[in-house]
Amino acid sequence: MFSKTPPLPYYAVIFSSRLSSESEAYREMADKMAQLAALQPGFLGCESVRGENGFGITVSYWSDEKAIAGWKANAEHRIAQEIGKRSWYEHYEIRIAKVERAYGK
């Protein structure tokens, strides 16, 4: 689903990844992290897709850079990051962008 974002500007964290192995534990952790992110101050929404080849993109929206830093530092999220690096991700990239223009149909 599309996230309902507020008036501009806001921030987007773009997490692109290729899984080395997907498991039930990965799916459970991804769901848990999405639920936990939604509880964080400054969280605005999230959109995520994953292809059959293991490549996926998750874009989370945040009110400001302080909110992004808070999510990055969250203890449960830090544990998930370490497990992901060690067990699930072949490669990943994180990009942070300030959204200054947005439109759609």
Side-chain angles (χ1 to χ4, degrees), residues 34-79:
Q35 292 169 8
L36 182 61
L39 300 175
Q40 302 308 300
F43 177 82
L44 303 174
C46 186
E47 300 164 349
S48 187
V49 296
R50 182 156 309 275
E52 291 180 17
N53 64 356
F55 180 77
I57 298 176
T58 298
V59 181
S60 58
Y61 301 101
W62 301 87
S63 59
D64 53 39
E65 291 179 280
K66 182 179 176 184
I68 294 168
W71 172 234
K72 182 179 181 184
N74 177 282
E76 287 184 74
H77 185 214
R78 301 281 306 170
I79 291 168

Side-chain angles (χ1 to χ4, degrees), residues 2-39:
F2 291 97
S3 294
K4 293 186 186 315
T5 49
L8 299 166
Y10 52 87
Y11 287 80
V13 175
I14 306 152
F15 178 65
S16 304
S17 64
R18 179 176 307 282
L19 292 175
S20 55
S21 64
E22 184 171 353
S23 65
E24 184 62 30
Y26 169 80
R27 287 187 292 279
E28 288 174 7
M29 182 67 80
D31 289 344
K32 182 177 179 181
M33 289 301 103
Q35 292 169 8
L36 182 61
L39 300 175

